[in-house]
Amino acid sequence: MILNQEQQAILDGAKGETLAKVMKTMVRYGEAFGAEKMVPVTSEYNHLVTSFGLKMMTPVFELMQKLIDAGAISGQKFSVDPRPLDKKVPANFLQNLIFNKFMYSTQGSYEEQLKKLGLKSEDSFTCTCYMKEEGNLPKKGDILSWAESSAVVYANSVLDARCNRNSGIIDIMGSVVGYVPYFGLLTDEGRKATWIVEVKTTKKPEAQLLGSAIGMKVMEEVPFIKGLDQWIGTELNDSACSYLKDFGAATASNGAVGLYHIENLTPEAVEQGERLIAEGAQVYVIDDAELERVYKEYPVIWKNKDATPKLCFMGCPHMSLEQLKEWTDKVEGALKEAGNKKVVIPTVFTAAPAVLEAFEKTPYAARLKATGVITSYICPLMYMNNPLCAKMPVITSSNKLRTYTTSRYYTDDEILAQITKGGK
Amino acid sequence: MKTYKGRVISPGTVKAEALVSHGGLNTLASFQKALQFGDKNATCGDQNNPDLYGKQMVGKALCLPQTIGSTTGGLVLYCACAMKRQPACMLFSKPIDSLAAAGAVLADVWVDDVTMPVIDSLGDEFLQEVKDGQMITVAEDGTVTVE
């Protein structure tokens, strides 16, 4: 890799031993992918994946402390993934004990570290930092040092920013030195589609199911998706963006997609059309039967497959304001139809703190509360990632949550029926 | 005895028993339980990985195509190394992914007393041929010998 004078000086220790090691890390990371240069991080804010004071991550907190002690702190502030705990979310005595005294006992001290490292605000804890209410919205062409797979794929695909699927720690180190290695999704060549996906369904495909199917097929490659614009339109409005948020999260978690192009909709596809498709791209046709096949193949890893669900999580990734409103209408309507006043399964809708604040200012908030649905800023994934919660029969329409935990996936309509009417 | 030539991501030499995952290694799901609950053998906790689930990863020559899952993957691997719960080496059949590369580099640069050689691009045949329990030797230049 060829470094400029400033980068070489940092690597040689001109700004201290710690920053030299940070630069060495970024250079070695880039060399693993044949990067020939480093490019400046240009976004206003960064986004980190590590939001949780999980005791097992003590080496990470020690490393963060080394950065703080050495003054190796970025001028770029950051948002970070959601907090792992919220008292509003149902938990029994034993779960609370394990959460607070054992698993997340370092949450407080870690949040203090995050503040010293440049946390954007006290409430900048969300995986959907790109919501306008939260305000970490990169501009077209911005170079990012983000982690969090669902945020990276959204920034690349919907916002036309440029970011690789970075790991935690690499996210903050790129920001601290101000440079990231130039490879993969930062390059024009790396953004070319090597798969053409033809959507030939007879109705609007479920975002989380379509994303899952594509993710599992193309893995880390870039798909160019045809035929979806007929279902979600050709304008990046709130509805389309909410759809793409969930779709992208599923592609990124069920596979390892960091960028997708939707014909006639996402910025690069609108500008460049089929010129984005690489020579020799493979083709994947998705019809109703293919989505059904994918859905049926999800393993159910509950001990008792017929167990009555004890909890429902919606919002992995965090819901948008538009989705909170839409689901308020849906839940109210379905409850009325079923002759029930409140949801029959404890249900949590999760969203960014700033989105929840905006939601509270609308008349929808009181209406949703009346249905018994709880709103929270929690990370459902972090809530579920322990042996006690793993044994609980939890349902969700999030394919990301399904992939990483023991929760069981249902489509949006099935979830609505379950929480308002009960039954299987 | 068969040899394969790969690319060195983290240098080092080692001799260890093979542990083979034909599917991607979900780093968070595999290591979380072991790191959280003090399992010095790093027993794999990923129920979705039938090749590795319930098996000891510490000290093994972990043979795999690539890693998958959460972007915490790199830092989880770094933690495993810092807590001395890491495999003896990681041998990738495919070019390394960004999360595993991050973990390998972070461990090599920031953990002083641990060496975990990481070799990638060993080829599909390597993963097809190698079996659990076979003795593997990794040389400094990225040559992997399966006995």
Side-chain angles (χ1 to χ4, degrees):
Chain A
M1 188 183 299
I2 297 165
L3 301 180
N4 68 22
Q5 220 172 2
E6 184 203 359
Q7 293 158 357
Q8 189 64 52
I10 295 172
L11 186 65
D12 292 343
K15 292 189 179 177
E17 191 190 339
T18 303
L19 210 56
K21 280 176 90 170
V22 172
M23 182 60 95
K24 185 178 176 187
T25 305
M26 296 308 291
V27 169
R28 288 269 312 270
Y29 173 55
E31 282 174 344
F33 300 94
E36 292 176 350
K37 62 178 178 179
M38 305 281 278
V39 290
V41 174
T42 60
S43 60
E44 184 176 6
Y45 298 113
N46 196 17
H47 182 80
L48 310 186
V49 68
T50 324
S51 59
F52 35 93
L54 202 56
K55 205 176 160 191
M56 69 171 239
M57 308 227 315
T58 301
V60 172
F61 309 139
E62 287 169 357
L63 203 162
M64 296 289 192
Q65 196 56 46
K66 279 184 191 166
L67 298 182
I68 293 168
D69 292 344
I73 290 168
S74 171
Q76 193 188 34
K77 295 204 176 284
F78 57 80
S79 50
V80 61
D81 265 15
R83 288 185 166 109
L85 298 173
D86 181 359
K87 285 178 184 160
K88 287 169 76 182
V89 176
N92 63 31
F93 175 76
L94 195 55
Q95 285 170 329
N96 275 325
L97 189 73
I98 286 195
F99 286 157
N100 295 306
K101 301 285 180 204
F102 194 63
M103 285 186 72
Y104 297 114
S105 55
T106 50
Q107 187 65 27
S109 56
Y110 180 51
E111 288 193 18
E112 285 306 312
Q113 283 190 322
L114 288 175
K115 283 180 200 167
K116 288 176 187 162
L117 288 162
L119 182 64
K120 188 168 164 278
S121 82
E122 288 265 345
D123 277 334
S124 287
F125 285 87
T126 177
C127 48
T128 57
C129 58
Y130 45 79
M131 291 289 164
K132 57 180 179 287
E133 294 84 1
E134 169 54 31
N136 183 355
L137 203 63
K139 297 188 299 293
K140 176 182 166 64
D142 268 348
I143 303 290
L144 318 181
S145 183
W146 289 15
E148 168 50 48
S149 65
S150 68
V152 167
V153 73
Y154 189 92
N156 273 320
S157 311
V158 182
L159 304 177
D160 200 3
R162 296 196 171 205
C163 186
N164 278 312
R165 276 171 54 87
N166 300 306
S167 168
I169 306 186
I170 292 293
D171 49 13
I172 195 161
M173 287 190 172
S175 178
V176 164
V177 290
Y179 294 98
V180 284
Y182 186 68
F183 71 92
L185 298 175
L186 266 52
T187 69
D188 289 343
E189 198 54 36
R191 296 176 78 85
K192 288 259 173 83
T194 47
W195 278 90
I196 299 166
V197 178
E198 296 176 0
V199 176
K200 294 184 173 174
T201 53
T202 57
K203 59 182 181 183
K204 182 178 176 179
E206 192 90 2
Q208 301 260 9
L209 203 48
L210 181 66
S212 163
I214 294 174
M216 287 195 279
K217 176 65 79 176
V218 312
M219 291 310 290
E220 74 280 13
E221 295 187 46
V222 179
F224 185 95
I225 298 146
K226 297 180 173 185
L228 187 58
D229 53 324
Q230 66 170 313
W231 300 113
I232 62 173
T234 55
E235 189 193 336
L236 283 172
N237 53 27
D238 286 348
S239 173
C241 287
S242 294
Y243 185 98
L244 294 178
K245 164 183 74 73
D246 292 339
F247 164 80
T251 66
S253 56
N254 286 226
V257 174
L259 164 69
Y260 56 80
H261 302 295
I262 312 279
E263 189 173 43
N264 301 322
L265 182 61
T266 53
E268 280 168 290
V270 168
E271 281 174 21
Q272 300 179 52
E274 294 197 5
R275 277 177 290 144
L276 276 171
I277 300 171
E279 202 175 315
Q282 301 180 76
V283 177
Y284 177 35
V285 177
I286 295 186
D287 54 14
D288 298 341
E290 175 63 358
L291 289 182
E292 186 67 17
R293 181 195 66 78
V294 169
Y295 186 10
K296 281 189 174 161
E297 284 186 3
Y298 293 148
V300 178
I301 47 181
W302 291 0
K303 206 169 181 183
N304 172 10
K305 291 183 172 40
D306 298 318
T308 304
K310 282 196 174 166
L311 189 63
C312 171
F313 268 123
M314 293 282 293
C316 176
H318 276 167
M319 293 169 85
S320 65
L321 182 59
E322 150 108 10
Q323 286 177 313
L324 286 170
K325 290 178 181 175
E326 186 191 326
W327 272 86
T328 302
D329 286 335
K330 278 188 183 179
V331 173
E332 268 185 346
L335 282 175
K336 198 174 169 188
E337 204 176 278
N340 286 327
K341 287 191 173 163
K342 287 187 183 287
V343 287
V344 296
I345 296 168
T347 299
V348 182
F349 286 0
T350 61
V355 169
L356 289 175
E357 198 182 322
F359 182 64
E360 285 301 320
K361 289 175 186 160
T362 72
Y364 288 88
R367 286 170 50 197
L368 185 64
K369 197 173 179 186
T371 68
V373 171
I374 298 160
T375 55
S376 169
Y377 51 72
I378 199 173
C379 173
L381 214 156
M382 285 298 126
Y383 174 93
M384 290 285 297
N385 255 335
N386 66 85
L388 283 179
C389 292
K391 285 180 185 160
M392 273 173 72
V394 174
I395 59 171
T396 182
S397 68
S398 162
N399 231 320
K400 178 170 183 171
L401 196 61
R402 175 195 73 78
T403 304
Y404 293 147
T405 71
T406 56
S407 62
R408 185 169 183 170
Y409 171 83
Y410 287 99
T411 64
D412 280 350
D413 285 348
E414 288 168 334
I415 287 284
L416 186 63
Q418 291 241 28
I419 64 175
T420 56
K421 302 178 179 72
K424 304 283 184 290
Chain B
M1 192 180 288
K2 205 156 185 183
T3 60
Y4 302 86
K5 183 76 171 71
R7 183 178 65 134
V8 178
I9 302 295
S10 289
T13 59
V14 74
K15 190 169 186 175
E17 245 182 47
L19 176 64
V20 184
S21 173
H22 292 96
L25 173 86
N26 186 322
T27 313
L28 177 63
S30 297
F31 280 96
Q32 184 179 358
K33 222 178 189 176
L35 301 186
Q36 185 70 34
F37 298 101
D39 170 13
K40 288 181 180 165
N41 293 326
T43 307
C44 177
D46 182 8
Q47 297 183 54
N48 290 310
N49 189 331
D51 290 339
L52 296 189
Y53 181 60
K55 292 181 183 169
Q56 172 184 329
M57 296 185 289
V58 159
K60 296 293 171 72
L62 193 54
C63 308
L64 68 168
Q66 60 189 151
T67 69
I68 57 170
S70 163
T71 47
T72 56
L75 67 89
V76 170
L77 206 50
Y78 165 72
C79 285
C81 291
M83 295 163 86
K84 314 270 189 297
R85 310 253 165 94
Q86 79 282 4
C89 59
M90 292 182 81
L91 307 174
F92 293 86
S93 60
K94 294 180 181 298
I96 200 163
D97 58 279
S98 59
L99 305 180
V105 170
L106 284 165
D108 202 31
V109 175
W110 293 88
V111 183
D112 292 331
D113 51 351
V114 166
T115 303
M116 180 181 70
V118 177
I119 312 293
D120 81 346
S121 302
L122 286 160
D124 292 342
E125 192 197 335
F126 163 72
L127 207 56
Q128 284 159 12
E129 297 284 327
V130 68
K131 302 280 182 293
D132 275 6
Q134 285 183 309
M135 196 51 70
I136 288 190
T137 308
V138 178
E140 195 78 40
D141 68 349
T143 300
V144 172
T145 306
V146 181
E147 289 177 21

